[in-house]
């Protein structure tokens, strides 16, 4: 997945949820490793916050090159794009 340009990351004055909302306006998924680019350390908690706002996700389990398992959150519904 292609990440946003560096000047889009760690946007000053935005909450972590707002940064994720902006991310999902351009991309359809995110993993914990990608979320760390935004300095989000607890992605499952932020995904729960987005679910409370009406966002819907699928959870896809994968393995990285070292065999470590990780989850990718795939956006299935964005209430901001109605």
């Amino acid at each position: 997945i292609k990440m946003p340009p560096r000047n889009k990351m760690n946007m000053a004055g935005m909450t972590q949820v707002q940064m994720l909302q902006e991310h999902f306006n351009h991309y359809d998924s995110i993993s914990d490793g990608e979320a760390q680019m935004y300095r989000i350390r607890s992605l499952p908690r932020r995904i729960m916050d987005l679910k409370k706002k009406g966002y819907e996700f699928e959870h896809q389990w994968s393995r990285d090159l070292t065999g470590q398992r990780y989850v990718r959150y795939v956006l299935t519904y964005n209430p901001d794009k109605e």
Side-chain angles (χ1 to χ4, degrees):
I1 190 167
K2 186 178 177 184
M3 292 298 293
R6 208 130 174 82
N7 63 357
K8 283 279 206 181
M9 295 177 195
N10 305 323
M11 295 169 249
M14 293 180 78
T15 67
Q16 291 181 354
V17 169
Q18 289 169 330
M19 284 188 275
L20 283 175
Q21 287 173 304
E22 179 66 20
H23 176 88
F24 287 119
N25 284 334
H26 302 284
Y27 305 97
D28 64 352
S29 69
I30 194 166
S31 69
D32 190 54
E34 294 162 354
Q36 289 183 20
M37 300 290 286
Y38 297 106
R39 295 190 172 173
I40 295 172
R41 301 266 186 229
S42 181
L43 182 59
R45 175 62 207 175
R46 300 292 77 83
I47 293 295
M48 188 185 334
D49 293 341
L50 287 174
K51 286 179 177 180
K52 288 179 181 178
K53 291 179 173 281
Y55 288 74
E56 295 176 10
F57 297 90
E58 286 181 2
H59 302 161
Q60 296 180 347
W61 284 96
S62 299
R63 291 191 184 270
D64 65 14
L65 297 174
T66 67
Q68 183 107 16
R69 290 185 60 186
Y70 69 94
V71 68
R72 173 169 292 283
Y73 297 91
V74 180
L75 182 68
T76 58
Y77 177 73
N78 183 339
D80 295 336
K81 290 195 171 184
E82 282 195 332

